[in-house]
Amino acid sequence: MKKEGYNVAVVGATGAVGREFISILQERNFPVKNIKFLASSRSAGTYLEWKGKDVMVEELKKDSFKDMEIALFSAGGGTSKKFAPYAAEAGAVVIDNSSAWRMEPDIPLVVPEVNPEDVALYKNRNIIANPNCSTIQMVVPLKPIHDKAKIKRIVVATYQATSGAGKKAMDELFEQTVSILNGKGPTEAKVFAHQIAFNALPHIDVFFDDGYTKEEWKMVNETKKIMHDDSIQVTATCVRVPVFYGHSEAVNIETEEKLTPDEVRKLLSNFPGVVVEDDPKNNVYPLAINAAGKDEVFVGRIREDFSTPNGINMWVVADNIRKGAALNAIQIAEILIEKYL
Ligand code: 25A
Ligand code: L14
């Protein structure tokens, strides 16, 4: 590290991911010289805690980024599209959590355990994109398998927590559940298209004409970009479940070379950022409630897919707001300051 500290702006600081940025920066002792909290006019003037002191949230404006060196964005796609270029222009490196920039060819899309070398491409536009939460937790355990046995096809079904859709979405699950349990019937669905309490909704983000959702297409396209391999075939079904924190995924893969479940367990046990929890006889497998608040991606139920020559099934769980969003972005920032800034 060349410098003692960096000027860091957090955009969308009051949101679910923004608050996690703030706590992880402190937890990991990220070298911050000056911190700036930015959000919409709705929360300008409120305070958030930074190292025991209250710091005022300011309204995000075009000129908010003077002297900033790193800008962590999580305020939605529209806000990123509009304001990330001003931050980049002012000389800050933007690490953006939205889907706004992910598929731009000259903007890197990075998961530190998978393609850390792509951070160098920040120089193109001063923007680095943070992938979609479901994609991040899937590609981490798939990387060592792909390197060893070349993945040909992935079939994934997700079980996604409400926190992915922000604070209001978690409130909707909470209030609906309480209302139903108090015998008052469900409260109106506002964030989600249907009742989320005691339900499972095969609908995350918007639908396209082909019948898939945008979330499902993100998993397809982002996986290829992060893994630098357009030949991997991916198909996804993304489902919202009444969980607060932690996405779970049933992942089926077909590889070029045969791998036994034991070989997969060994590869994953030796890979950074992955914890194997796989002892089904003792009811040990990854659970969303255990992954919440943790940094690693948890993998279990590793078993052969007997319906095809080279197939493996597994269950993959991670905290969607940490590894799926804020932690991954801050790991990118750590590479950036270690190697480039
Ligand atoms: O637009 P999109 O792309 O469809 O994105 C939709 C939503 O998805 C979330 C994020 O919601 C976003 O608004 N999101 C985006 N990327 C995500 C990812 N990778 C993701 N979720 C998970 N993983 P959110 O609630 O997490 O954060 C919203 C933040 O963005 C700020 N914002 C919105 N529009 C803005 C803007 N900032 C600047 N300019 C704009 N035009 C938003 O600020 C918030 O910080 P706010 O002032 O509107 O904050 C609203 C108030 O919400 C309360 N609150 C939020 N989270 C918490 C909370 N209170 C307590 N605990 C919380 N965890 C506060 O009262 C706050 O003041
Ligand atoms: O593309 O609603 O990063 O769970 C992540 C959260 C999209 C929506 C993204 C959710 C968002 C998703």
Side-chain angles (χ1 to χ4, degrees):
M1 247 175 266
K2 291 181 208 144
K3 284 173 51 165
E4 255 173 55
Y6 298 81
N7 295 335
V8 177
V10 179
V11 181
T14 53
V17 176
R19 283 164 199 264
E20 204 67 31
F21 277 144
I22 296 166
S23 62
I24 295 175
L25 285 170
Q26 295 174 83
E27 253 171 54
R28 293 172 76 92
N29 259 318
F30 190 89
V32 175
K33 190 155 79 192
N34 293 300
I35 192 89
K36 192 169 202 176
F37 297 149
L38 299 163
S40 76
S41 56
R42 288 182 293 274
S43 30
T46 61
Y47 290 83
L48 292 170
E49 204 181 294
W50 175 257
K51 299 194 171 168
K53 291 199 183 117
D54 285 338
V55 173
M56 195 168 80
V57 178
E58 300 170 45
E59 184 180 351
L60 173 62
K61 297 207 172 112
K62 291 174 188 172
D63 61 3
S64 294
F65 299 98
K66 193 175 173 292
D67 298 329
M68 290 294 124
E69 296 169 285
I70 296 170
L72 303 168
F73 271 67
S74 189
T79 307
S80 286
K81 263 254 130 72
K82 183 164 174 205
F83 288 94
Y86 294 115
E89 177 71 18
V93 180
V94 172
I95 303 174
D96 181 49
N97 244 294
S98 79
S99 57
W101 307 99
R102 290 177 189 153
M103 295 313 296
E104 300 263 318
D106 57 347
I107 289 184
L109 182 65
V110 178
V111 177
E113 292 84 350
V114 181
N115 59 335
E117 69 282 3
D118 287 349
V119 170
L121 302 173
Y122 82 90
K123 290 200 174 95
N124 293 343
R125 313 256 304 258
N126 254 10
I127 301 175
I128 301 173
N130 198 63
N132 165 264
C133 36
S134 303
T135 310
I136 293 176
Q137 73 177 65
M138 183 173 79
V139 296
V140 170
L142 292 191
K143 168 71 175 166
I145 297 174
H146 190 52
D147 287 349
K148 180 85 185 172
K150 192 162 181 3
I151 295 172
K152 291 197 316 203
R153 180 164 184 250
I154 304 167
V155 181
V156 56
T158 68
Y159 303 66
Q160 296 185 220
T162 52
S163 53
K167 169 78 165 59
K168 279 201 201 92
M170 288 189 278
D171 292 346
E172 186 158 305
L173 169 60
F174 183 84
E175 282 155 22
Q176 229 167 46
T177 306
V178 169
S179 179
I180 292 169
L181 291 178
N182 278 304
K184 294 182 187 155
T187 51
E188 191 195 342
K190 288 186 185 143
V191 177
F192 298 113
H194 300 279
Q195 177 185 322
I196 181 63
F198 308 102
N199 209 357
L201 310 176
H203 175 180
I204 296 181
D205 213 331
V206 296
F207 278 100
F208 290 129
D209 289 341
D210 61 13
Y212 284 84
T213 61
K214 190 172 173 190
E215 185 79 352
E216 290 160 352
W217 274 115
K218 285 180 234 172
M219 293 192 77
V220 175
N221 296 326
E222 294 181 21
T223 298
K224 293 173 193 236
K225 179 166 175 176
I226 298 161
M227 304 274 256
H228 295 169
D229 190 343
D230 277 340
S231 74
I232 304 179
Q233 298 300 304
V234 187
T235 188
T237 303
C238 292
V239 181
R240 184 85 62 194
V241 291
V243 166
F244 287 103
Y245 291 99
H247 289 356
S248 305
E249 300 178 343
V251 182
N252 173 267
I253 55 167
E254 257 182 83
T255 52
E256 195 104 16
E257 318 271 322
K258 181 149 188 91
L259 283 178
T260 65
D262 269 341
E263 287 170 322
V264 171
R265 271 181 219 108
K266 203 162 169 207
L267 282 173
L268 295 182
S269 303
N270 292 325
F271 196 69
V274 177
V275 173
V276 174
E277 285 183 339
D278 199 11
D279 183 10
K281 291 213 173 78
N282 289 307
N283 299 344
V284 173
Y285 32 73
L287 295 174
I289 55 169
N290 294 341
K294 305 258 171 61
D295 288 351
E296 297 88 356
V297 177
F298 298 86
V299 186
R301 301 292 321 279
I302 299 165
R303 62 210 193 275
E304 185 166 350
D305 169 3
F306 296 113
S307 73
T308 182
N310 298 343
I312 291 282
N313 279 306
M314 57 184 135
W315 180 247
V316 178
V317 181
D319 185 323
N320 55 300
I321 298 296
R322 288 180 75 90
K323 186 56 189 168
L327 173 66
N328 195 75
I330 288 169
Q331 288 173 321
I332 293 172
E334 288 171 349
I335 297 174
L336 195 63
I337 61 169
E338 193 69 42
K339 294 211 158 156
Y340 305 102
L341 290 191

